[in-house]
Amino acid sequence: MNGVAPQFARLALIGFGLIGGSIARAARAQGLAGEIVTTARSEKTRARVAELGVVDRVVDTNVEAVRDADLVILCIPVGACGAVAQEIAAYLKPDAIVSDVGSVKGAVVKDMAPHLPKHVHFVPAHPVAGTEHSGPDSGFAELFINRWCILTPPEGTDAGAVDRLRAFWAAMGAKVEAMTPEHHDLVLAITSHLPHLIAYTIVGTADELAQVTSSEVIKFSAGGFRDFTRIAASDPTMWRDVFLANKDAVLEMLGTFNEDLSKLTRAIRRGDGEALFEHFTRTRAIRRGIVEIGQDSAAPDFGRPHPQLQKKPD
C-alpha cells in the first residue's frame, strides 16, 4: 500500500490472463483496492494465481468472486461476457461498477447490458495495451503506463461511476478517454483489428509457400516479418471473438484496405514509381505523427517487453 485510502474496498477480477494479471499487480502496487479477489475458468489457472500471491483471495466461481465487490472487471474474451453477466447479475452489490477489458465495445454492451440490474453502474472499458504473452504469469504492473484506456459508458450511465473508473485507470498509469461504443469499434477496426488480420494472413501465407521452407522463414526473418509474427502470436480465442463481434466495422475497413491494395498493385504492375513514392511518403508522415505524440516506445505495443522475461546481459 502507498498510504492513500483505496479507491475500492473490494476489486473482483473474472479471468486472470495478461490484462487481469496486470490489473491485479498494478492495483496492488498503487493501493487502489482494499482487497483483490479473482477467479478463472480453469482449476490449473486458479492454482497458479494462488501460488503467485498477487491477489488476496482466489475463489472457484464467478458468483463467489463478485459478492460484495465495489468494482467488477471481466477480463475474459468478449464472446463470453454476455453469459457471465447473466450468471453474476443477481449477486452484484448495489452501486457496484461493472466493467470489462474487451477490444470490441458495441457487442459487449449489447450482450451484457440487458442482464445487469438497474442498481449497478455499467462502464465498459478497453485498455489499449498488451504483449504477445498470455496466461497468469504474463501480467506486469507497468503494462498500462502511458497507454490509452477507452471508456464507453452507455447513454445515461452515472457520471460519478465513470469518473471513479477513469481515476482507477489513471492511477495505474493509463491515459483515459471516453467515446461511444460504435465510434470505438470503428477506430479500433483500423488501428488494431485490421492490422492483426493482416498479420495473421501474411504469417499464414509465408507458412504455406512451397518454395520457401518454414526453417528459412524463421532463419531469414527481416524486421517487418518479425513484427508481424509478434502480432500474430496474440491469443487466438480472444482474436476469434474480436473479429466475430466487430464484423461490420472490420469488413468496412477491409474493403477500404483492399481498394488501396489494388491501387498499389496497379502501380507496381505499371512500374509507376511516382505513385509508389507519393504513397510511401504520405504513410511515413503518419509514423512520424505517432512518434511525436509519444505513442511509441522501444518496442511495439504488442511486443512490449515483460520485465521478468527480458534476457539479462551476461
Side-chain angles (χ1 to χ4, degrees):
M1 288 286 186
N2 57 12
V4 179
Q7 293 183 4
F8 296 94
R10 179 173 293 168
L11 164 64
L13 301 170
I14 297 179
F16 203 90
L18 171 67
I19 301 298
S22 295
I23 292 173
R25 290 169 172 91
R28 170 171 276 191
Q30 299 302 321
L32 302 179
E35 182 184 27
I36 303 175
V37 182
T38 193
T39 189
R41 188 179 58 172
S42 80
E43 186 177 341
K44 180 180 178 183
T45 299
R46 295 195 299 270
R48 179 56 184 155
V49 176
E51 288 176 6
L52 290 170
V54 294
V55 301
D56 298 292
R57 285 195 294 133
V58 181
V59 296
D60 292 339
T61 68
N62 297 333
V63 167
E64 195 176 352
V66 305
R67 287 188 192 277
D68 296 320
D70 304 283
L71 172 60
V72 176
I73 305 179
L74 276 59
C75 306
I76 56 179
V78 293
C81 285
V84 171
Q86 185 175 19
E87 179 188 0
I88 65 175
Y91 305 92
L92 294 167
K93 176 182 178 180
D95 283 325
I97 296 173
V98 178
S99 190
D100 76 310
V101 297
S103 66
V104 178
K105 300 274 61 101
V108 165
V109 171
K110 178 174 64 70
D111 292 347
M112 288 184 66
H115 301 298
L116 298 176
K118 301 294 184 187
H119 60 70
V120 304
H121 308 293
F122 181 37
V123 188
H126 175 206
V128 188
T131 74
E132 72 268 34
H133 303 293
S134 58
D137 289 87
S138 61
F140 54 104
E142 301 81 9
L143 178 65
F144 309 113
I145 294 174
N146 291 326
R147 294 296 182 239
W148 285 102
C149 181
I150 301 171
L151 307 183
T152 61
E155 191 174 348
T157 302
D158 179 72
V162 177
D163 288 343
R164 289 189 73 196
L165 191 63
R166 178 189 292 271
F168 176 80
W169 280 104
M172 293 191 291
K175 297 180 288 186
V176 187
E177 187 159 317
M179 60 182 67
T180 66
E182 296 75 21
H183 188 66
H184 166 279
D185 289 353
L186 196 62
V187 170
L188 270 292
I190 189 61
T191 61
S192 176
H193 304 165
L194 185 58
H196 274 78
L197 191 65
I198 294 167
Y200 281 119
T201 302
I202 197 166
V203 174
T205 300
D207 186 53
E208 294 167 5
L209 283 175
Q211 64 269 44
V212 179
T213 68
S214 59
S215 62
E216 287 177 313
V217 169
I218 294 169
K219 182 177 179 180
F220 298 116
S221 287
F225 189 76
R226 280 197 303 271
D227 284 345
F228 277 126
T229 60
R230 180 162 46 230
I231 296 171
S234 301
D235 182 66
T237 300
M238 180 184 79
W239 283 100
R240 175 202 64 194
D241 286 0
V242 164
F243 289 120
L244 293 177
N246 201 26
K247 179 173 64 175
D248 292 342
V250 170
L251 288 174
E252 180 181 341
M253 292 301 142
L254 191 58
T256 302
F257 173 78
N258 282 331
E259 291 175 7
D260 289 343
L261 189 60
S262 294
K263 293 176 186 175
L264 287 176
T265 301
R266 287 196 297 273
I268 293 170
R269 183 178 293 121
R270 295 170 180 171
D272 189 346
E274 186 176 340
L276 293 173
F277 184 81
E278 187 277 330
H279 183 82
F280 299 154
T281 301
R282 181 165 54 89
T283 55
R284 191 182 187 193
I286 299 289
R287 168 65 183 172
R288 285 177 179 157
I290 290 171
V291 172
E292 285 170 4
I293 65 170
Q295 276 298 291
D296 190 36
S297 61
D301 230 19
F302 282 85
R304 296 184 69 197
H306 187 304
Q308 297 170 353
L309 296 180
Q310 294 183 73
K311 185 179 178 183
K312 294 187 171 80
D314 296 330

